[in-house]
């Protein structure tokens, strides 16, 4: 874990106005960092923030100034927006900028990495903190930090500093933060949860907790078996019993939540299916593996229009 006692003052850019991005932005600002937002339409934004202990406070964020080079950018945008987002930021990125991606699914890094200059470094953060934006008429955003979690940070390029200077600030904002030299095994563990929970809940339009019901057990078991087969071939072997236990734990802990894919479906937004089940199936093809459970689930999701 990162030492949480010293504070740092850095110029952060946080991209978008999703719950995890705004949570991080508020917490970074609270501990003294300068934070600006990158929104589709550059504008200032007020966030009414309710912390875990029920206390409230207000944060105001200005857009990134058009001429200032970007040194550290936290980019918690959907997987399908990650590439175009980096392309938009590119003209302003400092020669040695640090970019921290955070999204569900895999398959974005391969297209983003070739765009970066030799000293621009890419990181990935995965988090279990819960946050949501309350619908409301008040100007600005009503952000609720709904569940304490932890985060894991890892560099994508070999040879990156294993304890970058910005990790301290992230630890205070969205920690406890574990810095790891290889983030990929963590991303595959998250992929496992996402490729079982997200398409199933989105297809059947149920809260996460419904998946604990016995009529979902055989399908979830098949999906897990197939995933483990693939993960083994891809070099990220999973302990099946432990994975099943973790799945049940997440289903129970998030029982009353709608998965991100169900939320996207209900809101008529694009989903991350291509980067979750789509990625799994593309990887399976690479290893000449047939994953009939995932293939059928993918087809049903497509037929349902998401
Ligand atoms: O995408 C989501 O909704 C979440 O990552 C998870 C863990 C599946 C819980 O809902």
């Amino acid at each position: 874990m990162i030492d949480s006692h010293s504070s740092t003052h850095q110029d952060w850019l946080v991209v978008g106005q999703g719950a995890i991005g705004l949570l991080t932005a508020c917490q970074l600002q609270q501990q003294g960092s300068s934070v600006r937002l990158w929104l589709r339409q550059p504008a200032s934004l007020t966030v009414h923030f309710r912390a875990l202990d029920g206390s409230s406070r207000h944060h105001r964020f200005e857009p990134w100034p058009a001429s200032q080079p970007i040194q550290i950018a936290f980019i918690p945008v959907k997987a399908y927006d990650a590439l175009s987002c980096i392309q938009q930021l590119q003209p302003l990125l400092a020669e040695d900028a640090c970019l921290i991606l955070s999204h569900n699914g895999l398959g974005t890094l391969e297209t983003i990495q070739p765009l970066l200059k030799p000293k621009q470094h890419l990181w990935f953060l995965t988090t279990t903190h819960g946050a949501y934006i309350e619908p409301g008429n008040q100007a600005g955003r009503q952000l609720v930090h709904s569940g304490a979690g932890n985060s894991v940070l890892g560099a994508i390029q070999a040879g990156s500093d294993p304890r970058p200077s910005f990790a301290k600030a992230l630890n205070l904002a969205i920690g406890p933060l574990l810095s790891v030299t290889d983030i990929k095994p963590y991303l595959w563990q998250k992929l496992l949860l996402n490729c079982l929970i997200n398409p199933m809940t989105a297809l059947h339009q149920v809260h996460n907790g419904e998946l604990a019901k016995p009529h979902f057990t055989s399908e979830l078991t098949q999906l897990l078996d197939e995933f483990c087969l693939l993960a083994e071939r891809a070099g990220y072997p999973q302990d099946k019993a432990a994975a099943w236990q973790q799945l049940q734990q997440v289903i129970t802990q998030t029982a009353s939540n709608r998965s991100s894919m169900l939320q996207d479906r209900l809101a008529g937004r694009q989903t991350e299916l291509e980067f979750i089940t789509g990625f799994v199936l593309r990887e399976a093809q690479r290893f000449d593996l047939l994953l009939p459970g995932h293939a059928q689930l993918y087809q049903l999701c497509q037929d349902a229009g998401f």
Side-chain angles (χ1 to χ4, degrees):
M1 293 286 167
I2 304 287
D3 165 29
S4 61
H5 296 295
S6 49
S7 161
T8 48
H9 299 265
Q10 291 158 330
D11 273 331
W12 283 79
L13 173 69
V14 174
V15 178
Q17 45 184 315
I20 290 299
L22 292 185
L23 171 68
T24 309
C26 289
Q27 304 278 58
L28 283 168
Q29 195 177 67
Q30 176 74 4
Q31 41 101 354
S33 296
S34 148
V35 185
R36 296 203 184 86
L37 296 185
W38 186 281
L39 305 177
R40 271 182 223 282
Q41 303 294 333
S44 53
L45 185 79
T46 301
V47 178
H48 309 277
F49 176 67
R50 195 156 83 233
L52 278 173
D53 62 7
S55 63
S56 294
R57 53 184 203 253
H58 290 203
H59 291 265
R60 190 170 170 80
F61 299 102
E62 299 302 326
W64 192 263
S67 55
Q68 186 176 329
I70 298 167
Q71 198 67 52
I72 312 171
F74 182 47
I75 311 172
V77 300
K78 296 276 185 186
Y80 49 76
D81 278 335
L83 176 62
S84 66
C85 176
I86 304 275
Q87 285 166 332
Q88 277 177 42
L89 300 182
Q90 233 173 354
L92 279 181
L93 292 180
E95 288 294 311
D96 56 352
C98 295
L99 307 175
I100 308 150
L101 290 175
S102 183
H103 58 68
N104 282 333
L106 281 168
T108 56
L109 302 173
E110 296 74 0
T111 54
I112 289 172
Q113 268 186 291
L115 299 181
L116 300 181
K117 295 187 177 156
K119 288 190 187 149
Q120 292 174 341
H121 282 220
L122 195 57
W123 303 77
F124 205 104
L125 177 128
T126 165
T127 184
T128 59
H129 277 272
Y132 63 90
I133 293 166
E134 266 181 351
N137 302 324
Q138 220 178 322
R141 294 283 175 280
Q142 321 287 319
L143 175 73
V144 180
H145 189 188
S146 52
N150 52 62
S151 305
V152 184
L153 175 77
I156 298 304
Q157 290 106 320
S160 301
D161 180 356
R163 289 172 76 95
S165 61
F166 62 80
K168 269 184 195 163
L170 275 183
N171 181 49
L172 292 171
I174 194 166
L177 183 82
L178 179 67
S179 271
V180 297
T181 45
D182 188 4
I183 189 82
K184 288 280 177 63
Y186 294 88
L187 299 185
W188 273 78
Q189 270 172 30
K190 183 85 196 296
L191 181 66
L192 184 155
L193 295 171
N194 285 136
C195 77
L196 270 67
I197 297 176
N198 295 27
M200 288 289 281
T201 50
L203 183 64
H204 299 286
Q205 305 204 29
V206 293
H207 288 98
N208 292 354
E210 285 288 303
L211 296 184
K213 298 218 166 127
H215 59 272
F216 286 117
T217 305
S218 74
E219 191 167 348
L220 288 174
T221 309
Q222 180 185 358
L223 292 171
L224 177 64
D225 285 348
E226 291 179 6
F227 185 90
C228 289
L229 207 65
L230 172 67
E232 172 96 44
R233 291 287 278 277
Y236 302 101
Q238 308 287 319
D239 176 332
K240 211 183 284 179
W244 179 258
Q245 216 177 353
Q246 223 226 323
L247 174 71
Q248 297 306 322
Q249 202 181 337
V250 172
I251 288 173
T252 310
Q253 279 168 354
T254 63
S256 58
N257 292 5
R258 290 188 170 124
S259 74
S260 53
M261 198 177 283
L262 176 57
Q263 289 180 44
D264 288 341
R265 182 184 180 186
L266 294 176
R269 290 188 294 258
Q270 185 177 350
T271 73
E272 292 176 306
L273 185 70
E274 277 311 318
F275 296 87
I276 296 177
T277 312
F279 175 83
V280 165
L281 292 173
R282 288 191 295 279
E283 282 289 281
Q285 221 168 27
R286 207 157 68 83
F287 295 111
D288 275 332
L289 280 177
L290 286 178
L291 305 183
H294 289 275
Q296 194 194 18
L297 186 55
Y298 179 81
Q299 194 55 52
L300 288 170
C301 291
Q302 289 228 307
D303 293 348
F306 67 95

